[in-house]
Amino acid sequence: MQCDNLLRVSELRKNVYVTGSEDSDTLDTIKFVSITVLLHDCENKRVTTDINCERARLRHVVSTPKKLTQYPRSRSAAASPRPHIILIVADDLGYNDVSFHGSDQIPTPNIDFLGYNGVILNNYYVSPICTPTRSALMTGRHPIHTGMQHNVIVGSMPYGLPLNETVLPQYLNQLGYQSHMVGKWHLGMFKWEYTPLYRGFKSHMGYYQGCEDYYTHTYEGSPDQWGLDFRRNKDLLWNCTGQYSTTLFRDEAVRIIHDHNVSEPLFLYLPFQAVHSGNGDGVHLQAPNSYIDKFSYIHNMERRTYAAMLSALDDSVGDIYDTLNSRGMLANSIIVFTTDNGGPANGFDNNAANNFPLRGVKFTLWEGGVRGVGLIHSPLIVRQGYVSNKMLHVCDWLPTLISAAGGKHLLENVTSLDGVDAWEMLSHDSKAVRSEMLHNIDPWDVKAALRMGDYKLLVGAISMSYGKWYPPYQVSGDERNLHYLNFIDDVPLRESVQIKGYRQKLSEAYRAMWPESVKERLVKLYSFAERSDLYTGPYARLSHELYDDAEISDSAKDTKSGLSFEPEKNLRHEVKKFDYSVLSSLGGTPVTVDCGPKPKNASTNCNPMVYPCLYHIPLDPCEYNNIAQNNSEIVVTMLKRLSEYAAYMVPPANKPYDPQGNPRFHDGAWVPWK
């Protein structure tokens, strides 16, 4: 891409000049990257000559150097003594947005593959919004103990994750890890000391704030606070305008893996911008047209664009997986994929995410706000390919990953952690490590939620106006008719019989309408899983009936490290005998939520401002039936437990806007100002 590849072209040319080397691999790489930049300009209509663009497309196909995707091997060929850790965070991903949760509307083949051949976390919880979850992820401590429990850092608010908190890369660096970050920070930037390079990361490409435009990389903190928020390390990147952030972050992650010395353990923290909406006064949902066009069967344009955003993210996950494999790192890697909160469904935060049939949206303490999409994938896991129904909280990742890295001793004298080590539980499917978790206590908004065993208690100013059950957008007009402010779930949607029937037909036909590239990718992934020795789970073996002795091309041959992927090759000849009607045989069984019949009083039987609401989550995951009145002893016990948590809570660290942080005083960019 222009802001990175032009630099790479410059570095390669400098190498030729300094060393006098003119080997064909280097010159081919220079030519290929230069053509890639031209092609990207064509796609973004910065080059208006069609002939030049067509030539670029043709040359891009024929000029791919053999070694472009085979960066120089590390200085030492020895494998790392500790596992590589890849921690991927999707921003605002809804529970009903991944196909391993049964969402046939949007296919996520790469994320699905990681889950089906790893561990799908079916009782996994995060905070209801960005900053609190990210603070818990980095510290292993609940936001009520770091002051991050109330809302998020916005614009020029001068606060952040306290500097006395030791964060995940700082622990891992003590074990010899090389820690890199790509993407969104959102844990404070008013002083340099709060930013990633000062919190243990060796490099950072991305942005500091909570959201921004996917192409201009500018952020609107408030109506009068607007500016660029995009940088490599401490240097602002002004020349990335027009380039899609998901692609930029993917390319940076791939570069880091390619350049990494495989004898050293890698920690790559990759919090993507997708699928968060853009600026409030800008274009809210953004994706390349090439992705949007794949989902013409989703007639609602907002949901279609959202699907495109998620598909680009899913493809990026696949590229990262392929790169780990091509470097020989996959067998010794742990990949974690998580959302940071529930999806902002049905127009909340100008988004089109979906959590159906769960109740609520991002920012709420209903299940739709806190029950997260999550998985862990690693050939190092002893039992693979299962669904874990054991409780796991986002703050458990720090002790879990440190344990997997062989660093338990680092935490022996750390008594302040709220997270628990779940590595053995996840790897062996052994006994549960926790039986309760605090969702949040917000003393400013006066609300709280707690889970103890099977029961969940909600108290105070729980968001009732956002606490409905919102179906996904399907047809044009849903963004108005099903908008969370207009949606009345107790009254049937007034639609014609024809429209209702059409919705049903669409739901039943989505999987058959998936793009061909999705089907081909699934075949490729499971072909690799079957032929490699990395996977032992029940979904790692294909039914041979799918192939009928189909020939595997040179792009899918076994190597010492597994499968050598060459994405530029077309798979049509490779899978020409494949019957797509049996696509469901690839992968596992989607993990869905069964809510049972919805009572007529589901929206009115809970008023937590008057009396706490109690739900039995395993039996009532959609929070239909408030059982507090008949279980007063359980309510009292849980209220007492909440008071115990509150006794050791620190006050929220939030601060009001500081006018001096306005980008207008800093040449139009968001920079630390104190």
Side-chain angles (χ1 to χ4, degrees):
M1 296 304 163
Q2 187 177 15
C3 54
D4 287 313
N5 282 355
L6 286 181
L7 178 60
R8 178 154 173 73
V9 172
S10 176
E11 291 173 345
L12 288 167
R13 292 191 184 279
K14 181 178 179 181
N15 180 62
V16 172
Y17 176 78
V18 172
T19 65
S21 168
E22 295 186 3
D23 64 277
S24 60
D25 291 331
T26 299
L27 294 176
D28 283 350
T29 300
I30 293 171
K31 180 171 68 174
F32 178 79
V33 175
S34 299
I35 293 170
T36 300
V37 173
L38 174 60
L39 182 59
H40 181 77
D41 287 344
C42 291
E43 292 172 347
N44 286 278
K45 299 181 179 180
R46 291 200 292 264
V47 175
T48 58
T49 307
D50 292 338
I51 294 177
N52 288 342
C53 289
E54 187 59 33
R55 286 175 179 171
R57 293 185 184 97
L58 292 172
R59 290 168 65 196
H60 190 267
V61 173
V62 302
S63 67
T64 305
K66 293 180 180 179
K67 294 189 177 181
L68 181 67
T69 57
Q70 299 172 6
Y71 278 51
R73 288 287 180 178
S74 59
R75 294 183 297 276
S76 170
S80 165
R82 302 184 190 276
H84 308 292
I85 298 173
I86 315 299
L87 177 52
I88 302 173
V89 179
D91 200 341
D92 284 5
L93 183 64
Y95 188 86
N96 191 39
D97 289 333
V98 291
S99 41
F100 76 74
H101 277 168
S103 173
D104 284 350
Q105 193 182 42
I106 305 176
T108 50
N110 294 287
I111 297 170
D112 290 3
F113 176 83
L114 296 182
Y116 287 140
N117 292 282
V119 182
I120 293 175
L121 307 175
N122 197 39
N123 196 6
Y124 172 59
Y125 288 83
V126 292
S127 292
I129 199 164
C130 306
T131 296
T133 288
R134 292 162 200 270
S135 69
L137 187 63
M138 285 290 103
T139 64
R141 304 191 68 204
H142 197 282
I144 69 164
H145 295 141
T146 59
M148 300 288 106
Q149 70 269 50
H150 177 76
N151 292 352
V152 298
I153 302 170
V154 179
S156 63
M157 293 180 177
Y159 77 101
L161 182 67
L163 298 180
N164 62 347
E165 298 291 342
T166 304
V167 296
L168 182 55
Q170 292 171 327
Y171 283 116
L172 292 175
N173 291 348
Q174 297 178 52
L175 300 174
Y177 276 79
Q178 298 295 311
S179 298
H180 299 269
M181 178 181 170
V182 181
K184 170 179 170 177
W185 179 235
H186 211 192
L187 290 175
M189 52 80 64
F190 72 105
K191 292 182 179 180
W192 282 115
E193 290 81 1
Y194 287 82
T195 61
L197 296 185
Y198 294 82
R199 309 301 294 258
F201 290 104
K202 185 177 182 179
S203 71
H204 172 230
M205 179 190 178
Y207 58 108
Y208 292 155
Q209 296 283 0
C211 68
E212 61 183 11
D213 189 278
Y214 280 75
Y215 287 101
T216 67
H217 313 296
T218 54
Y219 166 65
E220 178 190 42
S222 65
D224 68 338
Q225 292 188 351
W226 176 89
L228 180 77
D229 183 19
F230 207 63
R231 54 183 29 88
R232 178 183 294 285
N233 299 327
K234 296 174 71 172
D235 298 326
L236 289 164
L237 293 175
W238 293 94
N239 62 345
C240 292
T241 301
Q243 299 180 56
Y244 194 56
S245 67
T246 302
T247 303
L248 289 173
F249 295 154
R250 176 205 65 190
D251 290 349
E252 178 72 359
V254 166
R255 183 196 66 78
I256 288 171
I257 297 169
H258 271 145
D259 291 348
H260 182 68
N261 179 349
V262 297
S263 68
E264 300 175 335
L266 169 67
F267 172 47
L268 177 57
Y269 176 43
L270 186 52
F272 277 97
Q273 180 177 357
V275 283
H276 199 292
S277 52
N279 290 317
D281 289 335
V283 180
H284 299 143
L285 301 175
Q286 299 171 285
N289 287 333
S290 59
Y291 276 96
I292 294 174
D293 292 343
K294 291 181 180 181
F295 298 99
S296 58
Y297 63 83
I298 301 177
H299 298 170
N300 182 273
M301 196 61 198
E302 293 196 17
R303 185 65 173 170
R304 184 191 305 177
T305 305
Y306 181 89
M309 296 164 69
L310 179 51
S311 183
L313 170 62
D314 181 77
D315 281 352
S316 297
V317 171
D319 289 337
I320 291 163
Y321 177 91
D322 291 357
T323 308
L324 289 168
N325 185 52
S326 70
R327 291 295 329 274
M329 297 166 64
L330 181 60
N332 191 33
S333 290
I334 298 170
I335 303 172
V336 171
F337 181 89
T338 177
T339 186
D340 62 341
N341 44 249
N346 283 48
F348 185 86
D349 203 17
N350 303 305
N351 207 293
N354 194 253
N355 307 306
F356 195 79
L358 299 181
R359 185 176 189 174
V361 301
K362 166 187 175 178
F363 192 70
T364 75
L365 290 168
W366 300 108
E367 290 291 284
V370 296
R371 186 168 176 177
V373 176
L375 64 87
I376 184 169
H377 178 100
S378 176
L380 302 174
I381 291 175
V382 175
R383 185 186 174 195
Q384 302 171 5
Y386 76 96
V387 177
S388 174
N389 289 304
K390 299 180 179 70
M391 197 179 292
L392 192 75
H393 190 263
V394 64
C395 65
D396 297 334
W397 286 122
L398 183 141
T400 298
L401 294 175
I402 290 175
S403 174
K408 278 187 175 183
H409 61 282
L410 297 178
L411 304 179
E412 287 178 351
N413 298 318
V414 179
T415 60
S416 59
L417 290 185
D418 298 300
V420 292
D421 174 10
W423 175 246
E424 288 297 317
M425 180 192 84
L426 295 171
S427 181
H428 294 270
D429 192 17
S430 58
K431 65 179 182 179
V433 295
R434 64 161 62 239
S435 60
E436 73 173 49
M437 58 190 162
L438 176 68
H439 290 307
N440 198 26
I441 301 175
D442 188 330
W444 290 4
D445 282 349
V446 194
K447 61 184 178 183
L450 172 68
R451 175 83 176 269
M452 290 182 66
D454 293 337
Y455 294 97
K456 176 181 177 181
L457 189 75
L458 293 153
V459 183
I462 305 299
S463 303
M464 300 302 295
S465 59
Y466 308 145
K468 303 294 193 300
W469 298 264
Y470 307 103
Y473 294 165
Q474 289 182 288
V475 301
S476 298
D478 280 353
E479 71 278 7
R480 299 183 302 275
N481 300 328
L482 300 184
H483 191 281
Y484 71 98
L485 292 177
N486 303 325
F487 186 73
I488 303 175
D489 58 277
D490 291 330
V491 178
L493 191 63
R494 295 179 179 177
E495 290 184 320
S496 66
V497 174
Q498 290 83 355
I499 292 295
K500 291 181 179 179
Y502 185 53
R503 286 186 186 276
Q504 183 63 32
K505 288 182 179 179
L506 280 176
S507 299
E508 295 171 353
Y510 279 138
R511 182 171 287 255
M513 293 187 286
W514 282 1
E516 289 296 308
S517 59
V518 171
K519 304 167 185 176
E520 292 172 352
R521 178 61 176 171
L522 282 169
V523 174
K524 192 166 196 176
L525 284 167
Y526 284 95
S527 173
F528 166 53
E530 183 176 43
R531 285 158 176 78
S532 76
D533 59 357
L534 298 178
Y535 299 110
T536 60
Y539 306 120
R541 298 292 176 261
L542 288 171
S543 168
H544 290 282
E545 296 175 0
L546 301 180
Y547 280 94
D548 191 21
D549 298 322
E551 179 183 355
I552 301 300
S553 72
D554 290 338
S555 69
K557 287 183 177 178
D558 289 324
T559 66
K560 291 182 179 179
S561 63
L563 185 68
S564 176
F565 287 118
E566 296 181 36
E568 70 276 5
K569 290 193 176 183
N570 194 306
L571 278 170
R572 291 188 185 279
H573 66 284
E574 177 181 324
V575 295
K576 58 187 177 182
K577 297 182 181 180
F578 179 70
D579 180 5
Y580 287 127
S581 67
V582 291
L583 184 63
S584 59
S585 298
L586 289 177
T589 302
V591 182
T592 59
V593 173
D594 182 7
C595 296
K598 181 182 175 185
K600 292 183 179 180
N601 68 342
S603 296
T604 59
N605 62 26
C606 167
N607 186 352
M609 288 291 290
V610 175
Y611 191 82
C613 300
L614 183 70
Y615 297 92
H616 190 287
I617 296 302
L619 296 179
D620 184 20
C622 295
E623 297 166 302
Y624 286 162
N625 302 285
N626 176 18
I627 58 174
Q629 294 295 334
N630 296 325
N631 294 275
S632 58
E633 291 184 3
I634 296 175
V635 171
V636 171
T637 298
M638 295 184 73
L639 285 174
K640 181 180 179 181
R641 185 67 177 132
L642 270 177
S643 68
E644 292 171 354
Y645 277 113
Y648 295 96
M649 175 177 63
V650 302
N654 305 62
K655 304 290 183 185
Y657 290 106
D658 181 352
Q660 295 305 310
N662 195 318
R664 73 173 65 176
F665 301 123
H666 306 285
D667 299 320
W670 290 96
V671 298
W673 68 93
K674 283 186 174 287

